[in-house]
Structures are given as C-alpha cells and as structure tokens.
Amino acid sequence: MSNDHLSWDDQRAFLSVLDTGSFSAAARALGLTQPTVRHRIEALERAIGQSLFVRSVNGLAPTPEARGLAAHARRMAYASEAFRREAAGAASEIAGPVRLSVSDFVGIEVVPPMLATLRERHPRLTVELLLTNANTDLPGQEADVAVRMARPSQASLVARHVGSIPLGFFAAPAYVDRNGLPETIADLPRHALIAPDRAQAYLAVVDRLSREAGGPLRIALRSDSHPAQLAAVRAGLGIGVVQVPVGARDLVRVLPDRVVHVLDTWIVAHEDVRRSARIDALFRHLVATFQAYCSDRPAGHRAA
C-alpha cells in the first residue's frame, strides 16, 4: 500500500460515487466531469492498493474494502464541513453557516417559521437544514445543533429540555363536512383513519385504540412518513394523528379531550461548538421558540 499522499479530493470523489452509485451522478454532484471522477477513483485505488467498486446491474457496487473505509472518509467529510462553517464566520460574529439537524416533519412544518424570525435578527446567518429521522453524530460534527425527541446520553453534549409536544386526532374540514365527527373513541371504527405502516411504536398505539374502540379500525392510508400522513389528513382522506400546534392551524380537532401521545423535546449541541456565537444564537433561539411551541396546548387533556 502506497498511501503517503492520499488526496482529500480523491476521497470526496469516493464518497460521492458511494452515495450516488455511478461516476456520472457523482460528477454532477461534485460539479466535475465524469473522466475526472473516474481518474480520482483510480488514483485512490492505486494509492491504497485495493479495488473500491465493481460494476453491477444497478451501477457501481462498493467492495467490502470500500464499505470498511466509508465511515472513516465520512468522518473526514464532516470535519471538513465543520472547518468550512467555522472559517466562513468569525467565532464572535453571528454570521456564516450553521448546520441544524431535525426530523422531516419538524423540518417541514415546525422549524421554518422559527428560522424566519432568527434571520430577521441575524440576516448574515445561513442555516443548513439536515432532514433526518436518525440521530445525527454531533460529536463527529455531522451537525452543529439538533432537535431531538429523546434525551441525549453523551456527556459531551449540551441539551435543554424545552417541553413536550402533544399529538391529537385531526381531520380536514372537507372530511368533517362529509362524515361528521366521532363523539367518542367507540365511534372511530365508523371513520377512515390515517395510520402508520411498519413503525412498531406507533402501531402499538393503533392497536390500543382498536381495543378501546371495541372493533377494528378502518385504515384509508398507511405511511411511516409523518409529512405524508399530514398531507393525507389535509387532503380529506381520513382522521390522523398530528402535532397539536400544527393541526390547529388549518384542521379540525377530533376528540379534543384526547392526547394520543406526547413528544419530549430537546435542543442539543456539542459543548465545544456552543463557543461559536452563531451556533449559540441558533441554540438559544430554538430553545425559546420550542418552549413557546410546546406550551401551545390546552390544559386538562388526557392521554390515549
């Protein structure tokens, strides 16, 4: 192995081919030509003395050696991105990029208005929004700040509990006009419902509701995507479970005394990156705005 002069550009090309499955797609992602990407992969293979990809019916498939190297290269990519973000703005200046990791639903329905008010105060701040339902690696600098629905366990993280988000039943006005509203849980089997597909935790809630209702529930659509569930509710396909502050915007609350579930919510950052003024500004802003968001719930509701 002759790896004394491994090029980061070659490793970036390796990660892009790994993620996209072809030289041409990687070239488009990197803003390069296909021959350039191919040459960089070949140079990396010569440097490490191993093949990294083999052709398959679905494009380029990584070899076992490539899969073993991927995690190390990805950590370097995260570190490179963190270096870029830090270099783009002085540590004491609220300007430049900051990377925020949130779930897809929160990133689409909850966070954008919060970021709009932040940008009004700090117009030179750029938020890079990473939508993922997995916990990002904050110590590994995959993101600067994250919104999580569980308390983090790593001692190196700074976390603020901002409250609990209630989930309730909602329907579109058009659905209510056609079908009316259930008055009790026992009425739910006569209505169409939007339900999870394979997520066991949420399927358990559906099973519990079915037992309480005294009969099987009529499912109009199944999806484990919360944005897709909300879109189905808004389209009038059936009754679904939605975060109460979101559903209250344009939907009709169904069985308003019932809270189906609550989501404990935490704003999290690595203890080192909070020394940056722009990252700290985002952290503090999210703490304040999520505290207001979580407190927007009627009192006295009982859980399902």
Side-chain angles (χ1 to χ4, degrees), residues 108-253:
I108 295 169
E109 294 291 338
V110 181
V111 160
M114 298 176 177
L115 298 182
T117 57
L118 177 67
R119 280 271 304 163
E120 289 175 3
R121 292 204 305 270
H122 307 297
R124 297 184 61 197
L125 193 67
T126 301
V127 178
E128 299 175 351
L129 192 60
L130 173 62
L131 300 186
T132 175
N133 293 328
N135 285 341
T136 49
D137 183 6
L138 293 178
Q141 299 179 321
E142 188 175 357
D144 299 314
V145 182
V147 179
R148 291 187 178 174
M149 304 309 173
R151 184 171 188 167
S153 58
Q154 298 101 318
S156 61
L157 298 180
V158 175
R160 286 285 304 276
H161 182 246
V162 292
S164 300
I165 304 171
L167 307 182
F169 292 113
F170 284 88
Y175 177 89
V176 176
D177 290 343
R178 293 194 308 268
N179 302 282
L181 286 171
E183 296 182 2
T184 67
I185 288 291
D187 295 330
L188 278 183
R190 294 192 290 273
H191 286 265
L193 298 182
I194 310 302
D197 184 17
R198 299 183 181 182
Q200 291 301 315
Y202 293 105
L203 286 172
V205 173
V206 174
D207 289 341
R208 188 167 69 246
L209 287 170
S210 179
R211 290 194 299 272
E212 187 177 351
L217 302 177
R218 293 167 47 203
I219 308 302
L221 180 141
R222 290 187 181 274
S223 176
D224 287 333
S225 166
H226 295 150
Q229 290 179 18
L230 177 60
V233 174
R234 284 178 170 155
L237 279 173
I239 297 170
V241 176
V242 181
Q243 291 186 16
V244 169
V246 171
R249 297 172 187 165
D250 57 352
L251 298 172
V252 178
R253 186 77 185 267

Side-chain angles (χ1 to χ4, degrees), residues 19-74:
D19 291 339
T20 63
S22 72
F23 291 133
S24 56
R28 289 192 296 271
L30 295 172
L32 302 172
T33 65
Q34 181 177 346
T36 298
V37 172
R38 183 189 297 274
H39 292 156
R40 287 184 175 175
I41 297 300
E42 292 171 349
L44 186 58
E45 290 176 330
R46 287 194 299 272
I48 64 177
Q50 296 176 341
S51 296
L52 295 174
F53 298 97
V54 295
R55 292 194 177 277
S56 71
V57 294
N58 296 318
L60 295 177
T63 63
E65 291 79 10
R67 288 193 291 269
L69 293 169
H72 303 291
R74 211 171 293 282

